[in-house]
Amino acid sequence: MSAATAARIVVRKAIPRNSGTSIPWITYMHNMDRTKSLTIAISAFAIASSYDFVWKFIFNHNESAPKTHNPAWAEATRAYLRWQNCNPIFGISSKK
């Protein structure tokens, strides 16, 4: 190894093994390999954030339309879309 190569090597200080807390799982995650702990944290976040979607999709899937949706509102929306000429080829404004 040349002197130039040796000069480029950065000596890293050892990470202290004390996480500053007495909670066992935090100390365990602190002492774990960084890649493994990041994978666990991202997986836990993904599971927690998808829980609400899955719960609503499975258990509340059979609910009716919202209370604020009524036929008059739907007709006004269709009239507005025709006036704006939204999706003129295949949509509501197309001449069939």
Side-chain angles (χ1 to χ4, degrees):
M1 180 181 320
S2 68
T5 307
R8 281 189 235 140
I9 295 176
V10 177
V11 178
R12 301 175 84 188
K13 292 183 178 180
I15 299 173
R17 291 298 183 198
N18 184 7
S19 62
T21 183
S22 61
I23 302 173
W25 68 271
I26 293 178
T27 305
Y28 178 74
M29 291 286 285
H30 178 77
N31 295 336
M32 197 184 301
D33 179 36
R34 183 172 288 174
T35 306
K36 187 175 179 183
S37 63
L38 201 62
T39 304
I40 291 172
I42 291 173
S43 300
F45 177 75
I47 289 169
S49 61
S50 64
Y51 176 75
D52 184 48
F53 171 75
V54 170
W55 180 266
K56 286 181 180 178
F57 184 76
I58 292 175
F59 295 109
N60 298 335
H61 191 64
N62 296 328
E63 288 185 0
S64 61
K67 296 175 185 175
T68 57
H69 186 75
N70 56 29
W73 181 271
E75 181 57 38
T77 302
R78 283 192 294 275
Y80 180 74
L81 291 175
R82 277 190 225 102
W83 179 72
Q84 287 286 325
N85 198 18
C86 291
N87 200 356
I89 299 174
F90 298 109
I92 200 163
S93 298
S94 64
K95 296 179 180 175
K96 298 177 184 178

